[in-house]
Amino acid sequence: LSEKGPGGGGWIHFNKFMQVTRRDGSVWGDGKIFAVGDCNMGCLGSPPDWEMPPVPKISYPGEEQAYHATENLRLLANGKATKLKPTWWPWGAGMFATSLGPHDACFVMAANHEKGSGYMVNWWIPAALQKEII
């Protein structure tokens, strides 16, 4: 587990194929164990030279990472370990629908790992209704 990271550390290390790794980057569990969503470290590399910058710990990136992992698991099961597909920073990771009470919310899109990125495109009752639909 990581010694650093959000909340002080304790996150599972993984590689660009979503496979669990040791701290030194070597694949753990013969490459057949994957870490997706909130349990993984959420980034690859180190600042400022990220291979993949930190991914927010929200539901959409976890869903996309799960898809990446299942595709790679399928390739492994079919003997195609050299054809594994790398993950990427999920486009939906930059969308946030945040409740601000029973009749208020805001919706931000196009956010990324850069401070101040993203645009608040919807707010108040319309955003609260949008959040209910989502």
Side-chain angles (χ1 to χ4, degrees):
L1 299 176
S2 68
E3 294 176 340
K4 297 179 181 178
W11 303 99
I12 298 171
H13 291 279
F14 68 108
N15 64 18
K16 65 183 179 181
F17 304 113
M18 305 304 304
Q19 296 166 302
V20 173
T21 63
R22 296 177 181 87
R23 284 186 189 146
D24 66 6
S26 63
V27 175
W28 183 78
D30 294 326
K32 297 176 185 172
I33 311 295
F34 295 81
V36 301
D38 290 357
C39 70
N40 70 36
M41 183 64 177
C43 60
L44 297 170
S46 300
D49 301 317
W50 298 106
E51 184 176 347
M52 182 177 76
V55 174
K57 295 192 175 296
I58 56 176
S59 61
Y60 184 82
E63 292 174 17
E64 192 163 335
Q65 288 179 352
Y67 173 75
H68 297 166
T70 56
E71 287 298 308
N72 284 335
L73 188 58
R74 185 170 315 168
L75 289 167
L76 285 174
N78 291 319
K80 298 179 180 176
T82 60
K83 305 271 187 192
L84 297 182
K85 297 177 182 176
T87 191
W88 56 83
W89 206 86
W91 69 268
M95 298 187 302
F96 301 88
T98 304
S99 178
L100 301 171
H103 306 295
D104 198 2
C106 65
F107 183 74
V108 174
M109 64 181 286
N112 60 37
H113 67 285
E114 298 291 335
K115 184 176 181 177
S117 66
Y119 303 94
M120 185 162 60
V121 296
N122 200 357
W123 55 90
W124 196 47
I125 291 175
L129 293 172
Q130 178 184 6
K131 189 165 172 56
E132 288 296 320
I133 293 169
I134 293 173

